[in-house]
Amino acid sequence: MKQPVVDSEACIGCGVCAHLCPGVFEIVDEISRVKDPGACASCDCQEAIDTCPVDAISWRDTGA
C-alpha cells in the first residue's frame, strides 16, 4: 500500500495539496502535513503530488 508523505524541508506551504485533497493534507505552521493518509480514496493524491510546485510530496510504500 502507498501513502503520501510530505518533505517538510522542501514544502513552501502554498496550500495546493490541501486545496486538492483536504481530507489528506492540511497546512500547519505554514507547512503541509499528511493528516489522514488513508483518505486518498476520497481525492486524487497523485494530482496533489504532481501539482506540488517544489516536489515536496511523494509516495511511501508501507509494505501492506
Side-chain angles (χ1 to χ4, degrees), residues 22-42:
V24 178
F25 301 98
E26 65 183 350
I27 304 297
V28 176
D29 296 328
E30 300 181 11
I31 299 294
S32 177
R33 74 176 191 100
V34 176
K35 66 179 180 179
D36 184 0
C40 281
S42 66

Side-chain angles (χ1 to χ4, degrees), residues 11-22:
C11 179
I12 60 172
C14 71
V16 171
C17 57
H19 175 74
L20 292 171
C21 292

